[in-house]
Amino acid sequence: MSDTPAATPRCPICGNPREQRFRPFCSRACRDRDFLAWADGRYAIPAVEAEEPDGDGQPLPERPQDDR
Ligand SMILES: [Zn+2]
């Protein structure tokens, strides 16, 4: 039988033994770090707004009625 010691849960960020109150991380710093990384990846959307292909960008002026 393998007598591997009880697998100590490790902080996925730095590998230190995790702290119960910060699990699954070892500290608040690592927890924040993971959250920031997650948020960063989640919100890393190209800030390219859908632009109108039309280059004019101005509404057509009202055509003057040709009433003589
Ligand atoms: Zn950590």
Side-chain angles (χ1 to χ4, degrees), residues 9-63:
R10 299 275 179 170
C11 168
I13 301 298
C14 66
N16 286 335
R18 69 172 63 166
E19 192 72 35
Q20 185 71 13
R21 54 187 292 208
F22 294 122
R23 63 179 180 168
F25 308 105
C26 72
S27 65
R28 188 172 145 194
C30 282
R31 190 182 61 181
D32 288 350
R33 206 158 114 192
D34 180 78
F35 175 78
L36 288 177
W38 174 84
D40 206 37
R42 182 182 176 85
Y43 298 117
I45 302 170
V48 178
E49 303 269 326
E51 285 187 30
E52 297 287 323
D54 302 307
D56 295 78
Q58 289 186 352
L60 291 175
E62 271 191 43
R63 292 174 183 271

